[in-house]
Amino acid sequence: MEKKKKLNHHQQNPRFAWHCSLVLFSVFAISTTAQAFDYADAFTKSLLYFESQRSGRLPYNQRVTWRGHSGLTDGLEQGVDLVGGYYDAGDHVKFGLPMAFTVTMLSWSIIEFRDQIAKAGELEHALEAVKWGTDYFIKAHTSRNVLWAEVGDGDTDHYCWQRPEDMTTSRQAYKIDENNPGSDLAGETAAAMAAASIVFKKTNPRYSHLLLHHAQELFEFGDKYRGKYDGSVGVVKGYYASVSGYMDELLWAALWLHQATDKEEYLKYVINKAHCFGGIGWAMTEFSWDVKYAGVQVIASKLLEKQNHKQHAHILNQYRSKAEYYLCSCLNKNNASNNIDRTPGGLLYIRRWNNMQYVSTAVFLLTLYSDFLRDSNKLLECPAGTVDHEGILKFAKSQVDYILGSNSMNMSYLVGYGSKYPTRVHHRGASIVSYRENKGFIGCIQGYDNWYSRQEPNPNVLVGALVGGPDCQDNFMDQRDNYMLTEACTYNTAPLVGVFARFSHLEDNHELELVASY
């Protein structure tokens, strides 16, 4: 029996390493053969994935029909209602930190690309994806200084292969509070709720106000009672350890609260803590559920264009410098040793465990910054050359196209998109016959013996899931037990929601031809 761990190479590689520990490979240009990709279809499918990952009582308009209700007694033992939220990947634990980052990225996608999402007719589904997460966070934040951090136990869950509807594993819940702090978790959840409050501000102002109230309380809690959440919730260490600490999440939360409220106090926090919290110290080559610095730096960069922030220009410029270091490293425009590695086929490559999560976040920030440079009529100045907004967008497109099938395997790593995609995704629910088709109980060992070990494709297609992706040589083995490459996570797909919407808009406006000819 395999015991999968969500380490993302925490134990193998330090989280702040500039490169993966593998040998550097020569970078070859992605094939220039023209391929037409249906970004609108990819966008629609990306939103479907979040319905596959729902925990709790499913709504009447659930579109992923092979799923059923699950986790209906979550929190019961602790006397709190923790029903709902998302399973993070192919298992059934509800991990608070990656779930909150997923919701932050979904919200950010809507904030930046709302018009494009609405034009595609998917705004309602995007809002539902965010609200499924924030409804759960409201439940989990049971008092000012209490936030429930996790439901389920990773160790017992990973010894069991069951559908979520049959779950027999532990549903123990774990919390952070004044005596057991978790500033990183509180900060990321505050960021998610603040960002979501912006999303719902016009369409559901009462709900938006409620989210903002929770966000402010959670930020105050995280800032006042400082500590890493994995020091308080020990069971998470083998799965989602907070290697970067909590300072990036507190900066992140403060920035999102500033975006939501326009209050100077939150911006002053980001300015005053810039040095001691590493906001202008860390030059990053990744942006992830754990490491938020690049995201902080990009948002802070955009504030420079606002006239009322000129008094903070000195610090904001330093934030921008670090943001552009990250972007230049993606574009291979830093000094050689400070660039992100690529596979021979041109895919950004950071770690062998679920590498696609880093690609999707990079593509999001690159796309966002391309639009920012276009609107501000600026260029990206890198040590190895200057890049304009079209050059950045072209590179972002190359990564998106690789994901959708422009690679040596001719494989779409977005499940359900195209004619060839992973069919043996490492996912309990997708790999076992649907509960709606067969309500007979399937136990832990039975699931391993009869379903996990099958060579046949999964009976249920996990549409819209972005799997871990190929190895450092662009190779991919579509095997259920190859969980480093075939497992998908919510935080992989979340950044692509906005990117697909943006590229779909480019397609509609025939801008892709301009980018392609750049």
Side-chain angles (χ1 to χ4, degrees):
M1 247 185 275
E2 57 87 16
K3 181 186 175 187
K4 176 178 61 63
K5 293 183 180 179
K6 296 283 187 346
L7 290 172
N8 292 324
H9 273 50
H10 285 164
Q11 293 179 342
Q12 293 91 335
N13 297 312
R15 179 60 73 167
F16 292 100
W18 300 122
H19 298 289
C20 66
S21 59
L22 302 173
V23 177
L24 294 177
F25 294 97
S26 299
V27 177
F28 295 93
I30 291 177
S31 171
T32 56
T33 304
Q35 293 191 49
F37 292 104
D38 189 342
Y39 302 110
D41 184 49
F43 169 49
T44 297
K45 286 174 174 168
S46 70
L47 284 170
L48 271 174
Y49 170 57
F50 296 96
E51 297 191 20
S52 300
Q53 297 303 109
R54 286 172 170 170
S55 180
R57 185 169 294 279
L58 302 184
Y60 73 93
N61 60 347
Q62 170 82 8
R63 295 178 295 165
V64 178
T65 56
W66 54 266
R67 279 297 321 283
H69 307 314
S70 63
L72 299 182
T73 61
D74 284 358
L76 185 63
E77 291 180 32
Q78 289 75 35
V80 59
D81 177 8
L82 295 176
V83 176
Y86 288 110
Y87 303 121
D88 72 302
D91 52 26
H92 302 139
V93 184
K94 295 192 296 203
F95 292 103
L97 187 57
M99 192 195 308
F101 179 69
T102 294
V103 172
T104 306
M105 293 309 297
L106 284 171
S107 297
W108 198 1
S109 291
I110 297 172
I111 291 166
E112 298 290 346
F113 306 112
R114 191 183 191 106
D115 290 345
Q116 294 93 322
I117 292 171
K119 186 178 179 183
E122 293 290 346
L123 183 58
E124 182 179 348
H125 292 137
L127 295 176
E128 287 172 355
V130 171
K131 194 170 186 293
W132 195 265
T134 51
D135 283 352
Y136 173 76
F137 297 147
I138 290 170
K139 290 180 176 184
H141 185 212
T142 49
S143 63
R144 177 180 287 270
N145 296 330
V146 175
L147 177 65
W148 292 87
E150 178 177 332
V151 179
D153 174 68
D155 289 345
T156 58
D157 182 277
H158 289 112
Y159 278 117
C160 191
W161 197 263
Q162 280 180 302
R163 300 174 297 195
E165 295 83 4
D166 290 329
M167 235 183 321
T168 56
T169 49
S170 169
R171 301 308 287 171
Q172 173 74 35
Y174 305 87
K175 66 180 178 180
I176 56 172
D177 55 27
E178 297 104 316
N179 299 317
N180 304 281
S183 303
D184 29 26
L185 175 60
E188 183 59 68
T189 310
M193 297 178 100
S197 75
I198 301 171
V199 167
F200 290 105
K201 190 170 185 177
K202 291 183 178 179
T203 58
N204 194 342
R206 181 174 294 182
Y207 188 65
S208 172
H209 181 75
L210 177 62
L211 292 174
L212 190 55
H213 173 73
H214 280 281
Q216 290 171 319
E217 283 195 348
L218 281 166
F219 174 69
E220 290 169 9
F221 164 47
D223 191 40
K224 184 176 181 181
Y225 301 96
R226 292 183 186 171
K228 286 173 46 171
Y229 91 120
D230 58 13
S232 299
V233 183
V235 293
V236 81
K237 282 186 177 179
Y239 302 92
Y240 287 104
S242 180
V243 177
S244 72
Y246 57 77
M247 294 177 182
D248 52 337
E249 277 86 10
L250 289 178
L251 292 172
W252 181 241
L255 263 181
W256 277 112
L257 280 164
H258 173 68
Q259 299 279 86
T261 65
D262 206 30
K263 288 185 177 178
E264 186 71 10
E265 63 186 272
Y266 295 117
L267 179 58
K268 283 184 177 178
Y269 186 96
V270 176
I271 298 300
N272 294 338
K273 303 287 186 185
H275 285 283
C276 58
F277 277 15
I280 57 177
W282 282 109
M284 305 308 303
T285 53
E286 73 170 83
F287 174 47
S288 67
W289 60 265
D290 183 16
V291 187
K292 312 296 160 44
Y293 285 111
V296 168
Q297 291 154 358
V298 165
I299 294 177
S301 299
K302 295 177 71 176
L303 294 178
L304 266 171
E305 300 307 307
K306 296 189 177 182
Q307 198 63 36
N308 58 333
H309 298 324
K310 294 300 181 185
Q311 71 270 29
H312 303 305
H314 175 64
I315 297 296
L316 291 176
N317 267 313
Q318 292 180 68
Y319 272 110
R320 176 177 285 186
S321 174
K322 291 300 187 286
E324 296 193 340
Y325 179 98
Y326 170 82
L327 297 162
C328 293
S329 71
C330 292
L331 295 164
N332 208 35
K333 291 288 187 178
N334 273 335
N335 296 322
S337 62
N338 296 327
N339 290 318
I340 297 175
D341 293 341
R342 300 185 192 181
T343 68
L347 183 72
L348 292 171
Y349 195 84
I350 291 181
R351 288 186 185 85
R352 64 193 182 101
W353 194 309
N354 190 20
N355 181 63
M356 279 298 188
Q357 64 173 306
Y358 308 110
V359 179
S360 66
T361 51
V363 166
F364 181 89
L365 292 185
L366 286 161
T367 302
L368 195 67
Y369 213 78
S370 170
D371 287 351
F372 166 66
L373 292 178
R374 179 201 61 200
D375 296 341
S376 58
N377 196 29
K378 293 183 183 299
L379 299 172
L380 175 62
E381 304 284 349
C382 297
T386 300
V387 189
D388 64 14
H389 74 91
E390 288 179 332
I392 297 172
L393 199 60
K394 183 179 182 181
F395 177 72
K397 181 180 182 297
S398 76
Q399 300 299 292
V400 172
D401 290 353
Y402 186 109
I403 289 170
L404 296 181
S406 182
N407 54 67
S408 59
M409 300 289 293
N410 294 315
M411 170 78 73
S412 164
Y413 293 106
L414 189 77
V415 179
Y417 177 89
S419 59
K420 182 182 178 184
Y421 50 81
T423 60
R424 298 170 185 84
V425 181
H426 182 93
H427 188 278
R428 287 157 175 74
S431 68
I432 303 175
V433 63
S434 170
Y435 182 78
R436 294 182 181 273
E437 290 183 28
N438 180 0
K439 290 184 170 56
F441 175 77
I442 297 174
C444 290
I445 304 304
Q446 184 184 357
Y448 267 112
D449 290 345
N450 297 346
W451 296 98
Y452 181 76
S453 303
R454 290 170 79 245
Q455 294 303 308
E456 292 81 5
N458 291 348
N460 309 303
V461 180
L462 196 65
V463 174
L466 178 63
V467 299
D471 66 17
C472 60
Q473 290 282 44
D474 299 300
N475 299 314
F476 181 79
M477 296 295 290
D478 185 13
Q479 297 173 345
R480 201 170 292 113
D481 62 356
N482 186 16
Y483 44 83
M484 283 195 285
L485 306 185
T486 63
E487 188 169 27
C489 301
T490 55
Y491 46 87
N492 294 16
T493 295
L496 289 182
V497 169
V499 172
F500 285 147
R502 175 73 176 97
F503 276 84
S504 175
H505 182 70
L506 281 174
E507 201 170 41
D508 289 344
N509 290 350
H510 305 291
E511 293 178 64
L512 283 179
E513 290 90 335
L514 296 176
V515 173
S517 64
Y518 174 81

